[in-house]
Amino acid sequence: MTTIYMDHAATTPVRKEVMEEMLPYFTQYYGNASGIYAIAKESKKALEKAREQVAAGIHAQPAEIYFTAGGSESDNMALRGVAEAMKAKGNHIITTKIEHHAILHTCEYLEKHGYEVTYLDVDADGKVSVEDVAAAIRPETILISVMFANNEIGTIEPIAAIGKLAREKGIYFHTDAVQALGHVAIDVEEMQIDLLSMSGHKLGAPKGIGAIYIRKGVKITPLIFGGAQEKRMRAGTENIAGIVGMGKAVELAVSELPETKAKLEKMRDRLINGILTAIPNSKLNGHPVDRLPGNCNISFEFIEGESMLMLLDALGIAASSGSACTSGSLDPSHVLLAIGLPHEKAHGSLRLTLDIDNTEEDIDVVLEKLPPIVQRLREMSPLYMAQK
Ligand SMILES: *Cc1c(COP(=O)(O)O)cnc(C)c1O
């Protein structure tokens, strides 16, 4: 059975071009980049080339890019690193209720260690209001962290406006751009971003590699101590193959962005409109226009997302739902609750995330298979049968 993979917000396959670029760094150029002999120099050269590729992708300077082990580490580093380095100035952080858990759980940790965190609400489309950010600022605010685009509902946040506000107030601005990188144009200069988190496996590089942009001059403490790698900001022998993959993946995704965006938006809109038309009592979650090109998130009344995922899986379709089953809990998604969905509707939501390996035929298959699945599940629901 061929798989139709529509869970690219969870992870992506490694691109062929990326893997080819990485391969020599496993067995041929395996040197430790700190060495002074020839094969070590190959590693060092590859490391600096990748740094340039990642920097170019977000309009930063190569010296402002530090490689990490992924988006979670970059998020932890931004928050804990700035909190620690700036504690003489203040102890207040502003974020939102719809951030990834790498941000939210780090904030909870900081709250247990003397910091205060404001979690901003979002509107029904998942947008943060710039006025709310402004109103939350206090003299002791040291950091504003608002994600670039949401991983569940795809809403793109007003990053440039928040960046402008933060810069005017002299407060550091961090954004988790894991979902946005390669799908939305990012310019850290123009958008006045001070710190930005990236992850390789969300854009065709392997899992376990990421990066953080830290604007020159930003005060931050490292998370990992040890060797002198990454200008002492992130100790540990560099994952050269992963780094090479990350550099190549960013370069490819950013150079192809206009075509990818057009292709994905067309498929996404056909998918969304097709589902909303075919299935009554269904509703799109997330912003109708300011949304990630590959994100479709829809709630269906009267059904359980988990059952829908199992039936889709039986047909070879990989998707995800609004109950956070991935984290082993049955709580509905904090993001869907934050946009005002009641528990039952949050549970009955389906997230389909597309990327370059999807085809129009994949959309046809989902549009054919999904409506009968929803109908079948609804016929098993006493609530649905009662209102019919
Ligand atoms: C996936 C994701 C992360 C975590 O990245 P990892 O590389 O898996 O640690 C952080 N933030 C967002 C928005 C994500 O989608």
Side-chain angles (χ1 to χ4, degrees):
M1 185 170 59
T2 55
T3 303
I4 295 182
Y5 184 74
M6 292 200 180
D7 201 17
H8 292 87
T11 197
T12 61
V14 174
R15 293 183 66 166
K16 216 184 260 114
E17 307 93 308
V18 167
M19 195 165 85
E20 274 164 17
E21 201 88 356
M22 291 172 65
L23 280 176
Y25 295 90
F26 288 104
T27 51
Q28 197 178 348
Y29 305 125
Y30 50 81
N32 186 317
S34 309
I36 56 153
Y37 33 80
I39 54 164
K41 286 194 181 124
E42 289 299 330
S43 298
K44 180 77 182 157
K45 218 165 73 190
L47 173 61
E48 296 316 323
K49 180 181 168 195
R51 205 185 303 285
E52 283 167 24
Q53 289 169 315
V54 173
I58 60 169
H59 297 266
Q61 298 302 315
E64 297 172 315
I65 303 297
Y66 302 82
F67 289 104
T68 66
S72 299
E73 184 187 327
S74 298
D75 283 346
N76 272 261
M77 183 172 174
L79 267 61
R80 293 169 68 181
V82 167
E84 166 87 25
M86 295 298 288
K87 67 181 169 204
K89 186 197 170 202
N91 69 340
H92 180 235
I93 294 166
I94 299 170
T95 188
T96 80
K97 289 188 179 163
I98 62 163
E99 299 297 311
H100 189 272
H101 283 132
I103 294 289
L104 293 177
H105 291 171
T106 305
C107 284
E108 286 166 26
Y109 169 84
L110 289 170
E111 284 182 291
K112 288 193 193 115
H113 290 82
Y115 292 87
E116 287 178 30
V117 181
T118 300
Y119 300 92
L120 297 173
D121 283 316
V122 293
D123 68 13
D125 292 328
K127 278 253 190 195
V128 178
S129 126
V130 183
E131 291 73 40
D132 287 355
V133 179
I137 293 174
R138 307 178 195 165
E140 60 274 19
T141 306
I142 50 174
L143 180 67
I144 297 169
S145 180
V146 175
M147 72 199 317
F148 207 115
N150 185 269
N151 46 306
E152 292 189 38
I153 56 175
T155 301
I156 299 169
E157 301 299 342
I159 293 304
I162 300 170
K164 182 168 180 286
L165 170 70
R167 192 65 57 89
E168 280 165 8
K169 301 282 181 183
I171 300 166
Y172 290 156
F173 175 43
H174 166 254
T175 186
D176 173 342
V178 169
Q179 292 289 336
L181 184 64
H183 291 108
V184 185
I186 300 178
D187 186 326
V188 292
E189 280 304 318
E190 206 179 278
M191 298 172 170
Q192 305 185 60
I193 297 165
D194 298 306
L195 303 111
L196 179 141
S197 301
M198 299 168 258
S199 172
H201 76 100
K202 304 286 174 77
L203 81 159
K207 295 153 189 66
I209 184 69
I212 183 169
Y213 152 78
I214 305 174
R215 189 173 57 79
K216 190 169 174 287
V218 165
K219 292 199 181 74
I220 179 165
T221 309
L223 209 57
I224 299 178
F225 297 97
Q229 294 91 354
E230 301 298 275
K231 292 181 283 175
R232 295 197 180 277
M233 281 305 298
R234 205 283 185 178
T237 304
E238 302 89 345
N239 171 6
I240 299 295
I243 288 169
V244 165
M246 172 105 192
K248 182 70 181 177
V250 172
E251 184 182 80
L252 280 174
V254 171
S255 70
E256 295 166 356
L257 197 149
E259 299 133 70
T260 306
K261 182 170 182 288
K263 181 191 160 186
L264 293 184
E265 283 178 345
K266 183 162 165 273
M267 286 197 293
R268 173 199 71 188
D269 291 341
R270 193 160 76 85
L271 185 62
I272 291 173
N273 295 330
I275 294 174
L276 294 178
T277 308
I279 306 178
N281 301 312
S282 60
K283 176 190 163 297
L284 179 70
N285 296 315
H287 199 282
V289 181
D290 294 335
R291 82 185 286 130
L292 287 171
N295 178 289
C296 165
N297 187 314
I298 294 182
S299 288
F300 305 100
E301 279 190 78
F302 312 111
I303 60 169
E304 278 292 329
E306 299 302 284
S307 331
M308 194 165 32
L309 293 190
M310 275 155 55
L311 294 175
L312 285 169
D313 179 44
L315 298 171
I317 300 167
S320 120
S321 91
S323 344
C325 65
T326 42
S327 63
S329 91
L330 281 174
D331 293 340
S333 131
H334 64 286
V335 176
L336 297 179
L337 296 182
I339 60 170
L341 288 198
H343 279 240
E344 28 350 315
K345 282 192 196 167
H347 273 302
S349 78
L350 177 69
R351 180 185 74 177
L352 299 161
T353 44
L354 313 173
D355 213 333
I356 43 174
D357 46 321
N358 287 119
T359 62
E360 292 286 351
E361 288 71 45
D362 292 346
I363 308 293
D364 294 336
V365 173
V366 173
L367 288 179
E368 183 200 328
K369 307 284 186 193
L370 183 63
I373 288 180
V374 173
Q375 187 55 28
R376 196 174 132 198
L377 290 171
R378 280 179 172 171
E379 278 162 10
M380 291 167 9
S381 152
L383 280 174
Y384 176 74
M385 296 315 277
Q387 63 88 49
K388 250 183 89 178

